[in-house]
Amino acid sequence: MSAWAREQSESLKHVKPLRVAVTGSVGQVVQSLIRRASLAENVTIIPLARPTLDLGDEVSIMSAIATARPDIVVNAAAYTSVDRAEDESQLAFHI
């Protein structure tokens, strides 16, 4: 473990147990959070993605969050199909 990783791990030991639900489970932000949380025993990252979570469906969102029981929700999901976003602008904006 690098000196930086040891320092980060040590700084996270003082954080109370924390459950963080994150949308966009395969994106860069989520992967970075997962790596960072692995340095702390008391931080749990809960990736939320399809089919459990459909960001176009409010009931799906509320159900996924209720099931995960997080302390914090980070919305890191994005509509990444740039070409289709022009044709599906309402959906892209909604997400």
Side-chain angles (χ1 to χ4, degrees), residues 4-15 36 40 42:
W4 178 86
R6 278 193 299 281
E7 181 181 312
Q8 296 303 306
S9 179
E10 190 61 35
S11 71
L12 291 172
K13 287 182 180 177
H14 304 292
V15 174
R36 175 72 190 248
N42 51 355

Side-chain angles (χ1 to χ4, degrees), residues 7-72:
E7 181 181 312
Q8 296 303 306
S9 179
E10 190 61 35
S11 71
L12 291 172
K13 287 182 180 177
H14 304 292
V15 174
K16 72 174 189 147
L18 187 65
R19 294 173 55 84
V20 181
V22 186
T23 64
S25 66
V26 296
Q28 185 177 7
V29 171
V30 178
Q31 295 307 309
S32 180
L33 286 171
I34 290 170
R35 281 192 304 276
R36 175 72 190 248
S38 71
L39 300 174
E41 297 172 6
N42 51 355
V43 177
T44 303
I45 301 295
I46 307 157
L48 300 176
R50 291 183 188 151
T52 306
L53 173 71
D54 177 355
L55 290 175
D57 178 4
E58 185 177 342
V59 172
S60 171
I61 295 168
M62 299 308 289
S63 176
I65 291 171
T67 300
R69 298 181 350 262
D71 298 303
I72 297 171

